[in-house]
Amino acid sequence: MTRAAKLESALVHVVLIGAVIFALYPVLWVVALALSGTPSPEPHAIPIPSEPTLEHFEAVATASRVTPEGETIWLFGRQLLNSLIVSTATAAVGVLIAIPAAYALARFEFAGKQAGTRSLLATQMFPAVASAIPLYLVLDAVGLLNSRTGLVLCYASTSVPFAIFQLRAAFESIPIDLEEAAMVDGATQFQAFVKVVLPIARPAIAVTTLFAFMSAYNEFILAATFLDDESMFTLPVMLQRFIGEYDAQWEKFAAGAIIVSIPVMALFYYVQRHLVAGLASGGVKG
Amino acid sequence: MSHGSRLWLRTLWVAALFVLWVGPASAAEPVTVWHAYRGDEEAALQRALAEFRDAARSRGEDVKISTLAIPYDAFASKISAAVPLGDGPHVFIDSHERLGDYRKREVVAPVGDALEAEAFLPAALDAVTLDAQVYAVPLNLKSLALYVNTDLVGVPDNFEAIVASADSLPSGVYALAYEAMNPYAHAPLLHAFGGTMLGEDDSFGMVGPQAEASVAFALSLVESEVVPSDADGALVTNLFRSGKAAYAMSGPWLASDLEGGVPYQVVPLPPLAQTGRPLAPFLTIEAVMLSPKGAASSIARDLVRHLAGKDAASDRQRSARIPSARIDVPSSDALLTAFTTQATTAVPMPTSAAMRSTWEPARQALRKILRGQKEPEPALVEAQRRFRDVRRPPPPPASPWPAIVLAALSLIGALVWVTRARRANQGPTFRQSVHAYRYLVHAIVAVGVLVILPLSVGAGTSLFAGPSTDMHYVGLGNFVEILTARGGELLGSGSFYLVLLVTLLWTVVNVVFHLGIGLAVGLLLSRPVLKMKAVYRVLLIVPWAVPNYVTALAWKGMFHRQFGAVTGVINATNDLLGTSLEPISWFAQFSTAFTANVATNVWLGFPFMMVVTIGALTSVPKDVLEAAEVDGASRWQRLTRVTLPIIRPTLMPAVTLGAIWTFNMFNVVFLVSGGDPDSSTDILVSDAYRWAFTREAQYGYAAAYAVLIFLLLFFGTKILDRWKARWSGSGRGEASE
């Protein structure tokens, strides 16, 4: 390597390390806060916990409650389970409904295709916060207000259109020759779709599922509005309670935030190798 | 919703229940209790409930009680949303000043025989009585009083003595800690100067010479550093507990945080010598209330009687140390006596529904004044204008006929258009499309029910106005009000156009940073010779993986003036370089608050652009670049003439999508700056949310905002598409859509 090339490479690393510090600093700050035994009134530039302790993690993770019937339930466990069930169901419902629809949009011509696509895109421009009240009335009307099913239906209302757009672009990027070859060999179009297209689209499907999962796992405004029972809460609603306007328990919030983030981050890293391919082919087209 | 549509919903609900009715008949419905308690107070409540249950059991009755703790901030909106629909609790505990509002919304009902006669302080009973009907049963008295750090100072004779004590205190110790920018904490001073929060006939009270004198006095306290400028409740606690404030003006809740801390004493607030009036705080009666459904249940009424009863009250007072509203529960210690004494001079909080609308304008005005951004008089006059804005009457009812005629005409128009299109034979016919519909039918049903239906209801709501129990049709009245800035200046603070400008600025700045950083980092990461590429990439997408509300709240903490990490960085820079940068109150001015929001959102959004860039770069053919190099193109030329034009078609849709997300990025704005200062950093979505949930629940008005946002985005992206088509028509590559 020449000197100039070495210098340049060093410069690139400096820039990237700068970006990494920017990306990680808030995370480290939250970690330091969660591990701090005493709230420090003095601000620190470098995130180091004062009097390290795990008590906040313990307090958050062991939260429990005695029911009217006298049995003790592990509240945190319930809420974690709620979050996982709701998010998984949202992702599954969204992607399963979207896959055939996206395929039809990518491959077939039919009456109303353009108008349908346009109006589907348009629904994504209506702010979600504003549809909270109508959703509330609809859910109340069908008796699903304080339930996981109701929440899944709400979240599916954004995850289905999003997944349709994401997957349509992914299917479009797959050469049609492959299906045609399969059909020459005697497969029906549906068989070609299931046996040829779906396996190729796996990265895009994985990424779409991840996004649908994350959006449900992270949502708190609707969940806080619709759920009336602590054992039905999802984790974000539980977390929100630590930082009320009048008494903020920042350390507990930080500990809870870390526990809540771990599953979704793990999933994210599991899927991230598909991220570049999945997004490049799909996703951002619309 | 009108009465008719509620009835309709109810019928549907009953029908759904009938269909779903498969299980055995359940035991008696549990009595539900909602509260905002935590810690000792919650424990005392649970004990009282358990006693009630046990007593019932010993009589052979099976009573089920279920409780729900709701954060105080969310309590009122959740109650107001649930109860009118017949959901929500039988019994709930809240402050008496919300009764006026609750009664208007039919959230509370008279307590009937739940009230034990002649057991309560007359002041407390007065506070819960509206038009000679008792709407709640008093539990506790809550007001501010004076905490004195007995190590540092003695009990003052008047407020001036507190101010004077500042000179003899060690440096770094404030004479008095209170939430100077919170109108509730300012009220004692306001009253001492002869002012009021709520004037005659529900008008805004905090204007005029007395109010001006009180805020000018508060400003002098902050300017002479007798009082910390930016204190919130947590900081008041911290300062007093760590001995960094000699006096604190706070409520009974502070005591529980002081155990094992500094030695202290609590006394009623002293008088202000210059006016000779006492610093009278607001008195809040914490009371237990019955929803209409609860008032109809004899068990719920019994439960209320029990919760407000003598045994429960004594237990509560002993364990949570909050003075009881009963006359037969004597104060057991000095702390309680101080608060009970304070209650006699305190001003009961008005129950009028208008009271709730005074806080936000008053808080904004106090902030501006104490931060020296505005003189007292204009700031308070502006607050009065905002109060009137929120309290303005809804548009008058309009005749629905124009809309019906219009709808019919457009339906006919659509039919004509469809048949014409059919005749012109554009695109495939229905019959040719059947095989495609087989793939689509479930998605059409799902989208119709889950997406289109709620959105149509939401859009329809924008044509109505008034409280949710009594909505009336106003046609385009809401839109007219919004688009004429409610009769104020077109670019006055809080007007639609100003918020729109802020939203556009917000969107453009964010997208520029997202694209700039994402593109730069993406290009660096795609260098073929780079080492540790995978490590960098994994670390740089961390911000995307963290739930965004966690991010937003973490950044809010980092920007906190007193203990935030950003202040830490500034201090560290000063130490290292010998500079003297001042820590910044980030949320005190528009420019810094906006910067804080942008920093958070840039952090959140750049990894997406980075990943898109990396993906797009894989499609740049190597031979083209090599050919350019052979032709003698410099690096910069290769980047701008070859690479960027090739990846542009892939990046443009991502930019559009990012712009839509940013335009509607509620979480960051709501959680980081919360619109501070003075709602100036609010974007359209967060403003709509405020109209729906904090400003007297004007659902129709909020829905009209949502429809406007939708129209803006819809036509905005249309125009963008046109531009895109023009660019790609002249440049290389194809538009992706």
Side-chain angles (χ1 to χ4, degrees):
Chain A
M1 245 194 245
T2 64
R3 260 189 75 178
K6 263 189 193 161
L7 192 74
E8 190 191 303
S9 151
L11 209 67
V12 167
H13 280 284
V14 167
V15 172
L16 286 176
I17 288 170
V20 168
I21 291 175
F22 175 63
L24 293 189
Y25 187 80
V27 178
L28 295 177
W29 191 76
V30 170
V31 172
L33 196 64
L35 292 171
S36 291
T38 53
S40 64
E42 296 299 313
H44 296 290
I46 301 165
I48 301 171
S50 57
E51 299 179 30
T53 168
L54 288 176
E55 62 173 303
H56 304 302
F57 285 96
E58 203 188 321
V60 172
T62 55
S64 54
R65 193 188 67 170
V66 182
T67 63
E69 285 76 32
E71 48 185 320
T72 308
I73 54 171
W74 182 36
L75 217 47
F76 177 79
R78 281 277 180 103
Q79 291 165 349
L80 179 66
L81 197 66
N82 289 339
S83 269
L84 293 178
I85 291 176
V86 167
S87 318
T88 312
T90 304
V93 168
V95 172
L96 287 179
I97 291 180
I99 284 177
Y103 184 71
L105 285 174
R107 286 289 188 259
F108 304 138
E109 287 305 317
F110 53 89
K113 176 172 163 176
Q114 278 221 324
T117 319
R118 280 217 195 108
S119 40
L120 193 63
L121 184 65
T123 62
Q124 297 308 288
M125 298 171 185
F126 209 86
V129 172
S131 53
I133 293 153
L135 275 172
Y136 190 94
L137 295 173
V138 171
L139 286 185
D140 181 68
V142 294
L144 285 175
L145 205 49
N146 190 19
S147 74
R148 287 186 285 252
T149 317
L151 219 48
V152 170
L153 291 179
C154 283
Y155 294 162
S157 72
T158 49
S159 77
V160 171
F162 179 74
I164 291 179
F165 285 118
Q166 179 104 355
L167 292 173
R168 180 193 64 171
F171 292 144
E172 272 172 356
S173 73
I174 295 171
I176 199 161
D177 317 3
L178 296 171
E179 289 148 84
E180 281 168 356
M183 288 196 290
V184 168
D185 290 346
T188 63
Q189 175 133 30
F190 186 73
Q191 281 168 334
F193 164 53
V194 172
K195 301 229 167 108
V196 178
V197 177
L198 284 188
I200 301 176
R202 254 199 358 230
I205 295 175
V207 171
T208 309
T209 313
L210 171 75
F211 287 160
F213 182 92
M214 274 176 67
S215 67
Y217 192 82
N218 294 348
E219 202 285 329
F220 76 97
I221 295 266
L222 295 182
T225 313
F226 295 162
L227 301 177
D228 287 351
D229 181 351
E230 262 180 315
S231 60
M232 293 302 259
F233 281 178
T234 53
L235 290 174
V237 183
M238 177 277 286
L239 264 191
Q240 194 203 6
R241 298 189 50 200
F242 287 124
I243 38 162
E245 196 175 333
Y246 297 103
D247 48 350
Q249 300 169 288
W250 280 97
E251 292 81 14
K252 279 202 182 136
F253 164 76
I258 291 168
I259 302 178
V260 170
S261 306
I262 284 172
V264 64
M265 287 179 82
L267 203 64
F268 202 90
Y269 286 117
Y270 180 70
V271 180
Q272 64 102 8
R273 64 208 158 91
H274 295 313
L275 207 54
V276 171
L279 271 184
S281 66
V284 298
K285 281 187 152 194
Chain B
M1 296 296 99
S2 70
H3 214 76
S5 64
R6 272 200 298 148
L7 196 71
W8 176 80
L9 286 172
R10 204 119 294 278
T11 322
L12 240 183
W13 188 76
V14 171
L17 256 190
F18 191 73
V19 172
L20 295 172
W21 191 254
V22 282
S26 64
E29 192 193 4
V31 180
T32 43
V33 180
W34 285 9
H35 63 90
Y37 283 150
R38 287 231 286 251
D40 291 338
E41 290 176 276
E42 183 168 13
L45 174 69
Q46 295 293 357
R47 276 198 300 278
L49 293 174
E51 260 171 41
F52 181 76
R53 204 159 41 223
D54 293 344
R57 247 174 230 162
S58 65
R59 289 195 306 269
E61 296 164 31
D62 185 23
V63 176
K64 289 210 171 83
I65 303 173
S66 74
T67 56
L68 176 67
I70 297 174
Y72 181 78
D73 329 6
F75 199 84
S77 62
K78 205 162 158 77
I79 289 263
S80 312
V83 173
L85 290 172
D87 299 318
H90 295 86
V91 175
F92 58 100
I93 297 168
D94 204 349
S95 308
H96 80 276
E97 69 261 24
R98 287 188 174 151
L99 279 175
D101 192 38
Y102 284 166
R103 187 176 63 152
K104 203 170 94 187
R105 288 169 204 274
E106 297 170 30
V107 170
V108 288
V111 294
D113 64 2
L115 183 79
E116 204 177 321
E118 295 175 11
F120 300 95
L121 291 172
L125 205 55
D126 277 354
V128 294
T129 307
L130 276 72
D131 295 336
Q133 288 263 36
V134 178
Y135 277 89
V137 182
L139 293 179
N140 309 317
L141 311 170
K142 288 197 172 172
S143 73
L144 300 174
L146 192 68
Y147 284 72
V148 183
N149 181 330
T150 47
D151 262 1
L152 292 171
V153 284
V155 174
D157 293 329
N158 49 40
F159 194 78
E160 281 80 354
I162 297 178
V163 180
S165 75
D167 301 330
S168 56
L169 290 169
S171 76
V173 177
Y174 290 105
L176 172 68
Y178 81 102
E179 296 177 55
M181 294 183 185
N182 181 342
Y184 178 77
H186 179 75
L189 278 173
L190 179 68
H191 294 144
F193 279 92
T196 58
M197 275 298 281
L198 191 68
E200 298 287 310
D201 304 328
D202 285 350
S203 64
F204 188 72
M206 205 169 134
V207 282
Q210 287 103 341
E212 281 163 35
S214 78
V215 287
F217 185 71
L219 179 62
S220 72
L221 295 179
V222 169
E223 278 178 343
S224 55
E225 296 190 356
V226 171
V227 166
S229 61
D230 242 345
D232 56 4
L235 189 74
V236 170
T237 307
N238 261 337
L239 287 173
F240 192 77
R241 183 170 57 192
S242 57
K244 290 196 170 159
Y247 298 97
M249 202 146 70
S250 187
W253 50 86
L254 177 61
S256 61
D257 283 327
L258 296 179
E259 271 160 43
V262 294
Y264 69 95
Q265 185 185 351
V266 180
V267 292
L269 291 172
L272 186 70
Q274 55 171 297
T275 62
R277 288 175 208 253
L279 266 79
F282 271 126
L283 174 66
T284 293
I285 311 296
E286 200 166 52
V288 48
M289 306 174 187
L290 284 157
S291 65
K293 149 176 108 168
S297 147
S298 67
I299 302 176
R301 289 198 308 272
D302 279 349
L303 178 65
V304 168
R305 205 179 164 92
H306 172 78
L307 286 177
K310 190 176 176 186
D311 294 342
S314 322
D315 177 47
R316 212 162 34 234
Q317 179 164 297
R318 200 168 44 242
S319 59
R321 300 183 82 195
I322 293 189
S324 167
R326 290 182 71 95
I327 43 179
D328 50 0
V329 177
S331 307
S332 47
D333 63 25
L335 176 92
L336 292 171
T337 314
F339 279 107
T340 317
T341 316
Q342 182 74 76
T344 56
T345 55
V347 178
M349 190 90 81
T351 47
S352 158
M355 190 64 200
R356 202 173 146 192
S357 305
T358 60
W359 300 114
E360 197 186 329
R363 176 174 295 133
Q364 314 267 7
L366 270 176
R367 278 197 187 152
K368 281 191 186 170
I369 296 163
L370 295 186
R371 283 167 176 162
Q373 291 160 342
K374 217 163 190 175
E375 291 296 310
E377 200 214 329
L380 293 176
V381 169
E382 187 189 60
Q384 182 183 34
R385 207 207 72 226
R386 293 191 152 220
F387 172 84
R388 287 182 184 152
D389 242 19
V390 173
R391 295 280 305 166
R392 84 208 181 294
S399 157
W401 283 111
I404 293 172
V405 171
L406 201 68
L409 281 179
S410 48
L411 196 68
I412 295 168
L415 281 175
V416 169
W417 184 74
V418 166
T419 41
R420 276 234 189 111
R422 204 33 93 62
R423 214 168 294 151
N425 204 14
Q426 290 169 333
T429 61
F430 184 80
R431 190 165 297 168
Q432 288 165 331
S433 317
V434 168
H435 74 286
Y437 291 150
R438 280 198 204 116
Y439 289 81
L440 282 165
V441 62
H442 57 289
I444 292 173
V445 171
V447 169
V449 173
L450 295 174
V451 184
I452 310 285
L453 182 70
L455 288 190
S456 316
V457 175
T461 314
S462 67
L463 304 176
F464 291 81
S468 57
T469 46
D470 179 32
M471 279 189 150
H472 59 264
Y473 179 81
V474 293
L476 295 177
N478 287 323
F479 293 95
V480 171
E481 288 227 339
I482 292 173
L483 295 177
T484 55
R486 297 180 295 278
E489 290 169 55
L490 284 189
L491 283 177
S493 72
S495 86
F496 174 77
Y497 299 100
L498 189 69
V499 180
L500 175 62
L501 279 183
V502 172
T503 313
L504 290 176
L505 181 68
W506 158 256
T507 311
V508 170
V509 170
N510 273 298
V511 170
V512 166
F513 274 106
H514 285 159
L515 192 63
I517 299 179
L519 203 60
V521 178
L523 283 167
L524 290 182
L525 280 180
S526 300
R527 287 164 60 94
V529 292
L530 185 75
K531 283 180 191 151
M532 302 199 302
K533 204 183 277 188
V535 177
Y536 280 129
R537 206 176 70 191
V538 165
L539 291 178
L540 285 173
I541 56 173
V542 163
W544 195 357
V546 180
N548 67 16
Y549 65 95
V550 168
T551 306
L553 290 167
W555 277 86
K556 188 185 176 63
M558 297 211 320
F559 280 114
H560 197 285
R561 187 178 186 279
Q562 259 92 13
F563 62 80
V566 177
T567 303
V569 170
I570 290 175
N571 289 347
T573 318
N574 288 344
D575 291 347
L576 263 174
L577 306 176
T579 49
S580 54
L581 302 171
E582 278 287 309
I584 300 169
S585 291
W586 288 89
F587 302 112
Q589 332 160 26
F590 173 78
S591 57
T592 49
F594 190 77
T595 308
N597 284 349
V598 168
T600 309
N601 199 44
V602 166
W603 189 82
L604 211 91
F606 87 86
F608 170 71
M609 280 298 175
M610 178 187 87
V611 171
V612 172
T613 305
I614 295 174
L617 285 173
T618 56
S619 66
V620 178
K622 274 215 184 80
D623 46 342
V624 178
L625 285 173
E626 278 160 13
E629 198 172 355
V630 170
D631 288 348
S634 72
R635 236 189 223 202
W636 180 248
Q637 284 173 328
R638 265 179 282 152
L639 176 68
T640 53
R641 303 271 172 83
V642 182
T643 311
L644 290 185
I646 293 179
I647 62 175
R648 199 173 64 191
T650 324
L651 286 187
M652 280 315 285
V655 171
T656 312
L657 193 67
I660 294 178
W661 283 346
T662 309
F663 197 90
N664 280 340
M665 182 43 99
F666 175 78
N667 279 8
V668 168
V669 174
F670 187 71
L671 295 174
V672 177
S673 79
D676 281 346
D678 194 19
S679 299
S680 62
T681 52
D682 262 330
I683 58 174
L684 287 173
V685 191
S686 55
D687 209 32
Y689 177 85
R690 262 176 241 288
W691 283 107
F693 292 104
T694 60
R695 296 176 190 152
E696 310 226 325
Q698 311 198 24
Y699 294 151
Y701 205 71
Y705 258 87
V707 170
L708 286 171
I709 293 171
F710 167 77
L711 292 176
L712 280 168
L713 281 176
F714 187 75
F715 289 108
T717 45
K718 271 246 158 97
I719 293 168
L720 268 184
D721 271 350
R722 232 169 258 140
W723 281 354
K724 252 182 350 200
R726 198 170 301 160
W727 284 343
S728 17
S730 60
R732 44 161 300 143
E734 286 170 32
S736 60
E737 194 55 20

